[in-house]
Amino acid sequence: MVTVGLLVRLEARAGKENEVANFLSGALPFVQAEAATTAWFAVRIGPSTFAIFDAFPSEAGRQAHLAGQVAAALMARAPELFASLPIIQEVDVLASKLPAGSAMRAQY
């Protein structure tokens, strides 16, 4: 079951778009090692706009992710890679559909 998440919006510096894409792709193994990160997506919205969405079963899982290696690396590289600081929004998950074998939560 996932109950909370993070929505992170990222705007790459001019000329750093490929580095941002590579950074996000390279973060996957670190996120896979986080037991409380149920779902994690790194997406490209436009030529220089990226986002991360992740979901967690509890606030403790979300806070563990925020204290983890990916968040630390993201903030450490922010001045180099991004036109502005990442916009990190804490969200509540109202409904979700996860792959078979994963916990699901839906509210109507």
Side-chain angles (χ1 to χ4, degrees), residues 16-94:
K16 296 288 185 174
E17 297 85 357
N18 288 337
E19 286 185 59
V20 171
N22 290 335
F23 172 82
L24 293 173
S25 296
L28 183 59
F30 297 102
V31 176
Q32 288 173 324
E34 296 176 353
T37 301
T38 303
W40 184 87
F41 301 90
V43 298
R44 188 175 210 153
I45 299 171
S48 63
T49 305
F50 298 82
I52 299 168
F53 176 76
D54 26 24
F56 312 92
S58 67
E59 181 61 28
R62 177 164 58 189
Q63 293 306 314
H65 178 73
L66 287 170
Q69 291 181 324
V70 174
L74 183 72
M75 297 314 289
R77 297 206 52 202
E80 168 197 352
L81 295 177
F82 306 115
S84 58
L85 287 177
I87 299 169
I88 302 171
Q89 297 175 286
E90 294 185 355
V91 299
D92 293 327
V93 176
L94 302 177

